Amino acid sequence: GRGAGAASLLMDDEDGAVGGSPVCIVHSRQLLDASELHPRFTGRGKLVHSLIDAYGLLDNLKVVEPGIPTSPVAGRKQLLSFHSRDYVQFLETHSNEEEFEMEEAEGFGLESSLCAARLLAEGEARVAINWHGGWHHGKKDEASGFCYCNDIVLAILRLMSAFERVLYIDLDIHHGDGVEDAFAFCQQVLTLSFHHLAPGYFPGTGSLCSVGSGNAEFYSVNVPLEEGISDGQFVSLFDRIASRVREHFSPQVVVLQCGADLLVGDPLGCFSLSPAGAGRCVDTVLHWKLPTLLLGGGGYNFPNTARFWTLCTGLALGQTLSNDIPEHQSLDEYGPSFQLHFAPGNRPNLNSDSHIECVLQTVSDNLLHIKTTS
């Protein structure tokens, strides 16, 4: 049967936590060093880790080191559970070339996401965190959007061995196309993506009418948004849609991709969200008291990414963090405010109330087609 350890986590204890299992974070010095190999994210991993450490959160987290494949064959077998044989062979052939250092960096992110999924599947954690993961654009047979290996898909496949229904939620400003494509025909996984969609904006997918295929029609839920959406609008829409998804799908485990490029000030983003606003969405999911995997993703303003993921780590622990960033070696990165929170943006909001209601109504109507027995 599907793991007794996983099943036990579906029961609340007296203080509202899921089971008695800890909040785990996957981390090691080797993993942190490997994250530096990705040329697009050099320095981000260490900035995130140092801020989490500065707030003293590691004292209350169970730190778990990711395993490393015992041989190239073991690593290859993991990749082949999703990626095509030709694509894996291509990565192996070019892995020593300088431009493929990012593929090696993502390989470590893959191992850490699989480790986090195992902790949930075996009932060793109620929340597992891997800020080095979240490579949601990777396809079965091609790289896309800085993503070579799709660690999310492989982690979900691991969770499917222990849980009947897996809910994937994607907060990244870019559509979670790789994950949606992977499970477009699968009723065991429902994908829910909140993202910006506009002509010329990557990846150009994730319209309201993209709802999955075959027997899994309506198990892909997309929430396309215009520029400048505000905290209040986004949080309200998230709460209403997420609650409907939960009601109709009855997930047993949640994978939450927390791409920080949805925040105001991201060079690739166009929303007006603050960490507090986006954090309320994460907190909503955590209060479902389901086993939850928190993953990273986009985030190209590194100090703001560190702020958001540190805030999310605190939320997972049920801790309220001081707005004044503690003294530590990277404090200068957070000037001039040196504070954890920052205000929402004032970009013109192109999301009319009528557009938001249209999105909500369409999604709600589509969810009526899902019939899940709890």
Side-chain angles (χ1 to χ4, degrees):
R2 300 199 173 179
S8 69
L9 282 176
L10 300 176
M11 301 175 62
D12 295 348
D13 65 13
E14 292 181 359
D15 65 3
V18 182
S21 304
V23 178
C24 297
I25 190 166
V26 181
H27 169 74
S28 70
R29 174 54 57 183
Q30 188 176 15
L31 176 60
L32 205 57
D33 290 342
S35 72
E36 297 295 293
L37 297 174
H38 199 306
R40 193 65 183 83
F41 298 106
T42 302
R44 189 181 73 170
K46 291 186 176 180
L47 199 64
V48 171
H49 180 72
S50 67
L51 189 58
I52 290 173
D53 188 25
Y55 272 99
L57 298 179
L58 293 177
D59 295 337
N60 297 313
L61 291 164
K62 180 179 179 182
V63 179
V64 180
E65 294 195 7
I68 299 172
T70 54
S71 69
V73 173
R76 178 185 177 89
K77 183 177 180 180
Q78 290 175 346
L79 290 172
L80 287 173
S81 63
F82 170 59
H83 293 288
S84 70
R85 189 171 300 276
D86 287 347
Y87 180 57
V88 172
Q89 185 175 355
F90 173 81
L91 293 178
E92 290 172 340
T93 303
H94 293 81
S95 61
N96 291 325
E97 296 181 13
E98 183 176 349
E99 63 265 32
F100 277 81
E101 285 188 337
M102 67 176 69
E103 185 260 320
E104 182 179 348
E106 290 181 22
F108 280 91
L110 163 63
E111 291 302 327
S112 47
S113 291
L114 286 172
C115 175
R118 177 189 61 78
L119 293 169
L120 295 175
E122 298 180 0
E124 296 179 26
R126 61 182 176 86
V127 179
I129 303 171
N130 176 32
W131 297 129
H132 300 285
W135 306 102
H136 61 166
H137 295 305
K139 304 292 182 18
K140 182 179 182 69
D141 54 6
E142 66 177 352
S144 177
F146 308 126
C147 304
Y148 282 81
C149 308
N150 198 315
D151 64 296
I152 303 174
V153 170
L154 295 169
I156 290 174
L157 290 172
R158 177 66 180 88
L159 291 171
M160 288 169 67
S161 68
F163 299 96
E164 292 287 348
R165 291 180 298 280
V166 182
L167 172 59
Y168 171 69
I169 304 177
D170 194 309
L171 294 179
D172 198 290
I173 197 170
H174 302 96
H175 176 230
D177 55 338
V179 183
E180 178 182 306
D181 290 352
F183 298 107
F185 291 87
C186 178
Q187 287 189 343
Q188 195 177 338
V189 179
L190 188 147
T191 62
L192 169 59
S193 178
F194 295 80
H195 52 268
H196 178 53
L197 178 62
Y201 194 81
F202 181 84
T205 53
S207 69
L208 268 176
C209 61
S210 179
V211 295
S213 304
N215 290 334
E217 187 177 13
F218 304 114
Y219 285 75
S220 297
V221 180
N222 284 296
V223 185
L225 301 166
E226 303 290 343
E227 293 184 10
I229 191 165
S230 65
D231 274 355
Q233 221 175 22
F234 189 90
V235 172
S236 174
L237 185 62
F238 180 90
D239 285 348
R240 289 188 286 174
I241 288 180
S243 65
R244 285 167 169 79
V245 167
R246 183 188 179 197
E247 175 188 352
H248 288 282
F249 183 62
S250 299
Q252 294 179 331
V253 62
V254 181
V255 177
L256 181 57
Q257 198 264 23
C258 303
D261 47 10
L262 86 167
L263 299 177
V264 63
D266 193 278
L268 299 188
C270 59
F271 289 169
S272 296
L273 304 180
S274 69
R280 283 170 63 187
C281 299
V282 175
D283 201 38
T284 291
V285 174
L286 291 170
H287 273 83
W288 291 351
K289 305 295 192 293
L290 293 172
T292 303
L293 173 56
L294 296 182
L295 297 173
Y300 304 89
N301 180 320
F302 294 173
N304 286 355
T305 299
R307 285 177 165 105
F308 181 46
W309 292 349
T310 299
L311 174 65
C312 291
T313 305
L315 290 171
L317 289 167
Q319 294 187 17
T320 300
L321 305 183
S322 168
N323 194 31
D324 294 324
I325 292 178
E327 183 76 40
H328 68 295
Q329 62 182 8
S330 300
L331 182 62
D332 288 348
E333 297 286 341
Y334 301 97
S337 73
F338 303 103
Q339 293 186 333
L340 183 66
H341 291 278
F342 52 87
N346 54 9
R347 179 191 288 262
N349 187 352
L350 304 185
N351 297 273
S352 65
D353 289 341
S354 60
H355 170 69
I356 294 297
E357 289 305 317
C358 175
V359 169
L360 178 63
Q361 189 61 53
T362 301
V363 170
S364 298
D365 290 345
N366 288 342
L367 287 172
L368 294 175
H369 296 277
I370 294 179
K371 300 291 190 294
T372 300
T373 302
S374 300

